[in-house]
Amino acid sequence: MELQQQPPRQPEGCPTVAIRVPVRIVVLVLVVPVRMVWDVLAAAARALHRTILRPVGRALSWLGHTLIVLPLMYLGRGLAWTGRVLVVVPLGWLWRWLVVPLWRYGVAAPASWVYRYVLTPLGHGVAWLAAGGWTGLSWVARGIGVVLSAIGTALVRVGLILIVVPVGWFWRRVLTPVGRGIAVVAREVGDAFGHAWRIAGQISRAVGRGLKWLGWQLVGRPVRWVWRSLCAPVLHWVRDTLWAPAARAAAVAGRAAREALGAAGRTAREALASARDTVRQARADAWRALVGGPPREPAPHPARTLGRTTTASDAVAAPEISLRKTEG
């Protein structure tokens, strides 16, 4: 793709150069503080948008969508369904079965008959009567047109001589040179503002880099030295000397507490099982004493022991004596 050749610039005269230099100096002096303030405000606005406005906007958007948009959407759907059922369907039925037949047979047919058999013959008669007088009116209109055309031509010539010619001379001799001068000044001022804005941006960036370097030298570097030399060793010592042993001791204590609770739970379950066996044997002995029969020596159940948590594989549950079975 070939580049289009730009038209050559016209040679600039001494007045243009004499205007350009002081204008650019004055504009640069005025624009540099404005550009620096603009850069500071732009950086603050970007930081504010990134840290506060964007999260708050997202939260408000979600909240508005949840609390306003969704309820309004469901409400609109409900209203649309209600309107369709209560308004659109009845109106459609009325239009189809009442209005259309009434219009077709009550209005359109009589109006068509009146137009065809009354208005059309009447219009033809009126047109025939008016045709004779139209010729005379056309001649009168032509005469009036000729007179008005002559008057308009005379007025145009008078206006051309009295208004257009002086205005054209004033435009060519006065306004055009003044406008060219104003255009030159305006163009130079605009170019000066653009040039000054770019230079002010470079100055502002240079000042910003200098302030950043100065802040790093005065604040960042000492803070980093304090962190690396004092805070980090102290935190590492606290972590290795106090926090890690405390965490290990807490873990050991927690494990011991869990084991102690488990052993206490097992002991309590075994004690409850032994108490149930004792109560069962006492009930059986009391029943034998009441109904007769040789007493039986209570024997410990082979499936459970007080000091063990396992159950024998060949142990059989001790039979329970039922009052109903004994009576039977």
Side-chain angles (χ1 to χ4, degrees):
M1 183 176 179
E2 297 181 355
L3 297 176
Q4 296 180 356
Q5 296 182 356
Q6 296 182 357
R9 297 184 60 181
Q10 297 294 331
E12 298 176 350
C14 295
T16 303
V17 178
I19 293 173
R20 179 179 301 170
V21 175
V23 166
R24 288 193 174 185
I25 294 174
V26 173
V27 170
L28 180 61
V29 173
L30 296 177
V31 167
V32 168
V34 176
R35 179 58 188 264
M36 296 182 67
V37 174
W38 175 264
D39 290 340
V40 172
L41 293 178
R46 287 194 296 269
L48 182 64
H49 179 266
R50 184 173 58 255
T51 57
I52 298 177
L53 296 181
R54 186 185 299 172
V56 171
R58 290 177 179 175
L60 292 177
S61 176
W62 177 85
L63 189 64
H65 184 268
T66 303
L67 298 181
I68 298 176
V69 175
L70 290 179
L72 288 179
M73 182 176 65
Y74 290 116
L75 179 62
R77 290 180 180 177
L79 293 177
W81 180 84
T82 304
R84 184 172 61 252
V85 172
L86 299 181
V87 178
V88 176
V89 174
L91 287 179
W93 185 85
L94 289 175
W95 176 264
R96 186 180 299 112
W97 300 106
L98 183 62
V99 176
V100 172
L102 183 61
W103 173 264
R104 182 178 298 172
Y105 298 105
V107 177
S112 177
W113 184 87
V114 170
Y115 177 78
R116 183 179 303 167
Y117 295 103
V118 177
L119 296 180
T120 299
L122 183 61
H124 290 169
V126 171
W128 181 78
L129 291 175
W134 180 255
T135 304
L137 292 176
S138 64
W139 283 101
V140 174
R142 288 179 182 178
I144 295 173
V146 171
V147 175
L148 292 178
S149 176
I151 295 173
T153 303
L155 291 176
V156 168
R157 291 182 178 180
V158 171
L160 181 64
I161 294 172
L162 297 180
I163 298 175
V164 175
V165 174
V167 169
W169 180 87
F170 184 74
W171 176 268
R172 288 192 304 270
R173 301 299 181 182
V174 178
L175 294 181
T176 300
V178 173
R180 288 176 181 174
I182 294 174
V184 170
V185 174
R187 185 179 68 250
E188 293 300 328
V189 170
D191 294 340
F193 268 104
H195 186 70
W197 187 260
R198 290 189 295 271
I199 295 176
Q202 296 176 2
I203 295 173
S204 177
R205 286 190 292 270
V207 172
R209 288 192 295 268
L211 292 177
K212 182 179 179 180
W213 179 84
L214 186 62
W216 172 252
Q217 297 297 328
L218 296 179
V219 179
R221 190 180 296 275
V223 169
R224 186 181 66 174
W225 181 85
V226 171
W227 174 260
R228 289 183 177 180
S229 302
L230 299 178
C231 296
V234 171
L235 293 176
H236 291 167
W237 180 84
V238 171
R239 183 192 63 187
D240 298 335
T241 306
L242 299 178
W243 181 256
R248 288 194 294 269
V252 171
R255 190 161 52 250
R258 288 194 299 271
E259 293 177 357
L261 289 176
R266 289 192 296 271
T267 303
R269 287 193 297 271
E270 292 174 358
L272 290 176
S274 178
R276 285 196 298 269
D277 293 339
T278 302
V279 171
R280 190 182 297 113
Q281 294 294 335
R283 186 179 61 184
D285 293 341
W287 178 252
R288 290 191 184 93
L290 291 175
V291 299
R296 188 178 65 176
E297 293 294 332
H301 199 277
R304 299 185 182 92
T305 58
L306 206 55
R308 298 175 60 189
T309 59
T310 59
T311 303
S313 60
D314 57 347
V316 181
E320 295 185 359
I321 300 176
S322 177
L323 296 177
R324 296 179 181 178
K325 292 183 178 180
T326 305
E327 290 177 356

